[in-house]
Amino acid sequence: MNFLFWFLFIYLLVTLCSYGCRARELAGTENKVLEIALEEGHNTSNNIQDHAMNHPNKPGHSVIPKLETEHKHMDPSIMVFFTLKDLRVGKTMAIHFPKRDPSHSPKLWPKEEADSVPFSSKELPYLLKLFSFSPHSAQATAMENTLKECESKPIKGEVKFCATSLESMLDFTQSILGVTSELQVLSTLHQTKSSVNFQNYTILETLMEIPAPKMVACHTMPYPYAVFYCHSQDNGNRVYRVSLAGENGDRVEAMVVCHLDTSQWAPTHVSFQVLGITPGTSPVCHFFPADHLIWLPKLQAHGSSSM
């Protein structure tokens, strides 16, 4: 477990920048929070796991012409959902993969520092003063939305937690998967560099399939320091790693989670809007951005298929 801890620490160190800064150091980073909350498709975090239908932002660098989608008037950042029958080699889909500069990401805080700062919507006025954000700023709105989402009630069969430090994330994950379980953490890997966020991708190969009766998904949330919305559902999941080729030559090893039972999801969940289906009628799958994490017990992966 010590090896896993340090492995994830190094991973997050690279992805989210080194931690240890104090709250006042964030006073000059308003544009970074704004960029994360409003430009880089960070609302995709909410689209994946919550019931929110507010998508005010339009991600930059979107490529829209001739996309394989009937949803041309939708916010591109919600184009991460598909049905299980579409998870097949040769299938082409329009997918949004936000490309984030790690230097613009909120910094990861150690547990003792994160725990010393209140994380509550009731304390929002105090927090805005602490981080030197105007109450009417975009940053304030992003913080308020994150706090409200973290405080919202889970759906039936779901356990959720907002982790404000690596240690709290590991504690929550172990509480779900088992303290003695050997864990693995998976994430999407971009194999090429590109500024294109939205384009057609073709599935080249299913590299890995893992039945996941228990899993924890952690999604980054817009906040002055790193916050992960972590949750687990006990209604059946499958996890895949697939190889994708973008029409501009981009290559991605993408993580996919398929939720087999959506009967308890709100009818207003954005995935139903995208796919034109209703709760419980079909499994819903979605791609994970590169800075989102999937925690699993170490299991034997199943086969692969390729073109």
Side-chain angles (χ1 to χ4, degrees):
M1 190 62 197
N2 286 338
F3 171 79
L4 177 63
F5 181 93
W6 285 110
F7 171 80
L8 181 62
F9 174 78
I10 293 172
Y11 171 83
L12 292 175
L13 196 67
V14 173
T15 305
L16 300 174
C17 304
S18 61
Y19 68 123
C21 66
R22 296 296 186 266
R24 286 300 179 185
E25 293 177 13
L26 294 172
T29 64
E30 294 187 11
N31 290 334
K32 296 180 182 179
V33 177
L34 176 60
E35 181 174 4
I36 291 166
L38 302 179
E39 291 183 9
E40 295 187 337
H42 226 288
N43 61 337
T44 303
S45 303
N46 297 340
N47 295 336
I48 289 173
Q49 35 67 9
D50 73 2
H51 315 296
M53 297 295 291
N54 297 320
H55 308 288
N57 57 306
K58 299 293 180 181
H61 313 298
S62 294
V63 177
I64 298 179
K66 299 182 180 179
L67 291 174
E68 295 292 333
T69 177
E70 297 177 356
H71 312 286
K72 294 180 180 179
H73 301 296
M74 289 187 178
D75 181 344
S77 71
I78 68 176
M79 301 306 296
V80 296
F81 299 100
F82 60 99
T83 59
L84 188 56
K85 64 182 177 63
D86 288 328
L87 188 61
R88 53 184 172 82
V89 172
K91 175 66 177 180
T92 297
M93 293 180 275
I95 306 170
H96 180 262
F97 279 117
K99 308 292 175 61
R100 301 186 181 115
D101 183 347
S103 67
H104 290 175
S105 296
K107 300 184 190 310
L108 184 67
W109 280 16
K111 182 174 173 34
E112 59 271 19
E113 187 171 351
D115 289 350
S116 70
V117 178
F119 189 77
S120 168
S121 57
K122 294 181 180 179
E123 299 292 338
L124 183 59
Y126 166 78
L127 292 169
L128 295 178
K129 290 181 180 179
L130 180 67
F131 293 110
S132 300
F133 292 148
S134 166
H136 304 292
S137 65
Q139 294 85 358
T141 300
M143 289 179 65
E144 181 179 16
N145 290 341
T146 290
L147 291 169
K148 286 183 176 180
E149 180 58 35
C150 288
E151 293 168 352
S152 66
K153 293 182 179 180
I155 64 174
K156 184 178 179 180
E158 180 189 38
V159 181
K160 55 181 282 190
F161 174 73
C162 281
T164 57
S165 66
L166 172 59
E167 294 92 334
S168 63
M169 186 192 303
L170 286 172
D171 288 343
F172 174 75
T173 299
Q174 287 183 314
S175 74
I176 300 297
L177 303 182
V179 175
T180 60
S181 297
E182 188 176 2
L183 304 178
Q184 59 180 331
V185 60
L186 306 172
S187 62
T188 290
L189 173 65
H190 290 273
Q191 298 175 306
T192 53
K193 291 185 178 181
S194 169
S195 62
V196 177
N197 286 339
F198 187 46
Q199 63 171 319
N200 289 329
Y201 288 89
T202 300
I203 299 177
L204 301 181
E205 183 179 3
T206 300
L207 302 171
M208 178 175 62
E209 175 186 353
I210 303 177
K214 283 190 175 183
M215 60 161 283
V216 174
C218 292
H219 311 281
T220 54
M221 301 291 283
Y223 209 70
Y225 55 88
V227 171
F228 284 84
Y229 180 108
C230 298
H231 66 134
S232 177
Q233 293 175 276
D234 58 11
N235 51 5
N237 305 283
R238 292 181 189 171
V239 177
Y240 300 87
R241 185 186 291 275
V242 298
S243 177
L244 302 174
E247 61 184 359
N248 74 335
D250 278 358
R251 295 295 295 269
V252 183
E253 284 191 6
M255 295 309 305
V256 170
V257 170
C258 293
H259 302 283
L260 305 183
D261 180 6
T262 62
S263 60
Q264 298 300 318
W265 293 17
T268 54
H269 194 286
V270 68
S271 64
F272 302 138
Q273 175 192 359
V274 173
L275 300 175
I277 60 176
T278 55
T281 59
S282 170
V284 170
C285 306
H286 58 85
F287 292 98
F288 267 57
D291 56 355
H292 294 205
L293 306 174
I294 300 172
W295 289 90
L296 295 164
K298 275 199 171 179
L299 299 172
Q300 182 66 42
H302 298 278
S304 71
S305 59
S306 59
M307 299 182 71

